[in-house]
Amino acid sequence: MAPMFSVVSRLMLVAAALLVGACSSAPEKPKASPLPAVSGTFKVQPVWKSQIGSVSPQLLPSVHGQQMALASSQGQLALIDVLNGRDIWRLNLNAPIQAGVGGDGRRFAVVTQANELVVAEAGKVLWRHVLPALSYTPPLVAGDRVFVMTGDRAVTAFDADTGQRLWGQQRPSDPLLLRQAGLLMPLGDNLLVGWGGRLASLNPLTGAVRWETLVGVTRGTNEVERLVDLVAGTSRQGNLVCVRSFQTAVACLDGLTGRMAWSRPAQGHQGLDGNEQILVGSESDGKVLAWQRSTGNPLWTQDALRFRGLSMPLLLNNAVVVGDQEGWLHFLSPQNGQALQRVATDSSAIMGKPIWSGQMLVVVTRTGGVHGFRPE
């Protein structure tokens, strides 16, 4: 028998319906900006292609050295070599996958659409556990534990080898929750969790809450407009963690104490990337913004890609890399946002964040294309 939906799960479906309704009643979608001219000063060559099957936004790859784990909505889980795109192993779970992939290089975890947490090792299922609610956030595998955050904002820890439940922690839920991957990450001996518009630190051994810091403040006149969940995709340098609150703010905090360094209004819905000097992010209308990491002061804005449905950005030493809904991969200058280069993939949307590993740039598209490029 299929597990019963919790009250919160039903409310999440209501939230999704409201969001779809809001989109359908909105004015006609603005026309995408023409592709900008590029300087051609950045060189990149395609090296290999692979296929995983169609991919949803919640299926984010997990990178470990020169290996990358990725999953498809249809149930494929694979570990590939990023240098050549070849499978190290591939496993068919025979169940649609809802969220993933989390991994520690040895064990890899996903959540199916039937709310089942599945942990695999060396191409074989290690254990399974049925969760009480939907999950849209990739599990976190760290410290010989698997941490899961379900849609009702409950965080649960399991033994990574046996699947034994170790502890659970939950914060009261808002009426509507975002159907999108949330924030769940380790920092030293802290487990950082996005609870609504708050960043919280939990003890990974016990689940005890150490601190909470408000990042996103609710606004608007209805529950949909008040969604402020912290989204997946953080930029960390040392103890300074920079996060995004859905359509509300970008902020940097001390990940050990929760002390706020700075916060700026921002209208994006995806995560961030950065280095010691700058932080970059894509706004929901397609503008790419850069901030000074230490102060949050704006550095530049690139609006030539507006309404192109941009992915999360990746910051390399000499380029900001961002994908769009037509499968183009754009390379921008980190100094001023100028368009340097662009390359095509398979004409379907770039999903998640471009990956940099082993001197290879890897992107995954909605139709399941996995593309490896080598910058010159």
Side-chain angles (χ1 to χ4, degrees):
M1 179 180 294
M4 294 291 289
F5 281 167
S6 67
V7 173
V8 172
S9 297
R10 286 195 292 270
L11 287 173
M12 290 174 68
L13 296 179
V14 172
L18 287 172
L19 288 170
V20 170
C23 292
S24 64
S25 61
E28 186 177 347
K29 184 178 179 180
K31 186 177 180 180
S33 298
L35 289 169
V38 298
S39 67
T41 55
F42 188 89
K43 304 296 183 182
V44 60
Q45 294 294 327
V47 178
W48 55 261
K49 296 180 183 179
S50 184
Q51 179 66 224
I52 187 64
S54 62
V55 175
S56 70
Q58 293 82 22
L59 297 180
L60 304 176
S62 175
V63 182
H64 309 275
Q66 295 183 2
Q67 298 179 352
M68 181 173 75
L70 63 166
S72 73
S73 300
Q74 294 91 342
Q76 293 285 328
L77 177 61
L79 185 68
I80 69 170
D81 186 327
V82 299
L83 295 182
N84 53 37
R86 295 173 184 166
D87 287 358
I88 298 170
W89 54 257
R90 185 173 291 230
L91 173 64
N92 187 354
L93 297 181
N94 297 310
I97 299 175
Q98 177 70 42
V101 179
D104 62 0
R106 180 164 71 93
R107 293 155 296 203
F108 301 90
V110 297
V111 180
T112 71
Q113 292 181 15
N115 300 359
E116 188 174 46
L117 171 64
V118 183
V119 176
E121 181 179 349
K124 297 180 180 180
V125 173
L126 191 59
W127 53 267
R128 301 171 183 259
H129 182 92
V130 177
L131 303 171
L134 296 167
S135 177
Y136 300 102
T137 301
L140 170 65
V141 185
D144 293 323
R145 286 171 168 78
V146 178
F147 303 95
V148 177
M149 183 166 64
T150 46
D152 55 2
R153 295 206 182 102
V155 180
T156 308
F158 300 89
D159 184 282
D161 288 319
T162 67
Q164 178 185 358
R165 185 182 184 278
L166 301 176
W167 54 259
Q169 181 64 267
Q170 186 170 10
R171 181 182 181 274
S173 296
D174 294 330
L176 298 182
L177 304 176
L178 190 63
R179 192 169 179 169
Q180 183 176 325
L183 193 158
L184 183 66
M185 64 173 288
L187 178 60
D189 66 344
N190 295 273
L191 177 65
L192 300 186
V193 177
W195 272 340
R198 295 178 178 271
L199 181 65
S201 172
L202 309 185
N203 183 329
L205 301 180
T206 65
V209 179
R210 289 172 167 160
W211 51 259
E212 291 185 40
T213 299
L214 183 64
V215 177
V217 179
T218 59
R219 79 283 185 226
T221 59
N222 59 59
E223 296 296 343
V224 174
E225 292 177 345
R226 294 191 190 109
L227 288 169
V228 291
D229 290 307
L230 302 189
V231 300
T234 61
S235 174
R236 174 193 167 191
Q237 292 289 324
N239 295 334
L240 191 65
V241 178
C242 299
V243 302
R244 184 188 289 278
S245 174
F246 178 78
Q247 299 285 25
T248 306
V250 167
C252 289
L253 309 86
D254 187 312
L256 297 183
T257 66
R259 181 180 175 273
M260 182 75 72
W262 57 264
S263 177
R264 296 286 183 271
Q267 295 296 316
H269 63 276
Q270 299 186 89
L272 308 162
D273 199 23
N275 58 23
E276 293 181 352
Q277 287 77 42
I278 72 172
L279 184 70
V280 292
S282 304
E283 298 291 89
S284 294
D285 65 357
K287 292 194 294 287
V288 183
L289 274 60
W291 301 268
Q292 186 176 34
R293 188 183 192 93
S294 59
T295 64
N297 291 334
L299 294 177
W300 52 260
T301 298
Q302 170 58 275
D303 59 8
L305 302 176
R306 291 191 72 192
F307 310 119
R308 300 198 66 86
L310 299 187
S311 71
M312 276 191 275
L314 167 71
L315 178 60
L316 302 177
N317 288 335
N318 51 358
V320 176
V321 188
V322 63
D324 73 15
Q325 62 192 2
E326 296 179 348
W328 289 104
L329 202 56
H330 303 270
F331 299 82
L332 310 177
S333 166
Q335 284 74 41
N336 55 24
Q338 176 189 3
L340 304 176
Q341 187 60 276
R342 68 174 168 269
V343 296
T345 55
D346 58 16
S347 300
S348 66
I350 305 293
M351 305 301 285
K353 175 184 175 181
I355 299 297
W356 177 250
S357 176
Q359 303 303 304
M360 293 293 297
L361 178 66
V362 183
V363 296
V364 182
T365 68
R366 183 181 295 277
T367 56
V370 189
H371 302 259
F373 298 90
R374 178 176 289 114
E376 295 182 359

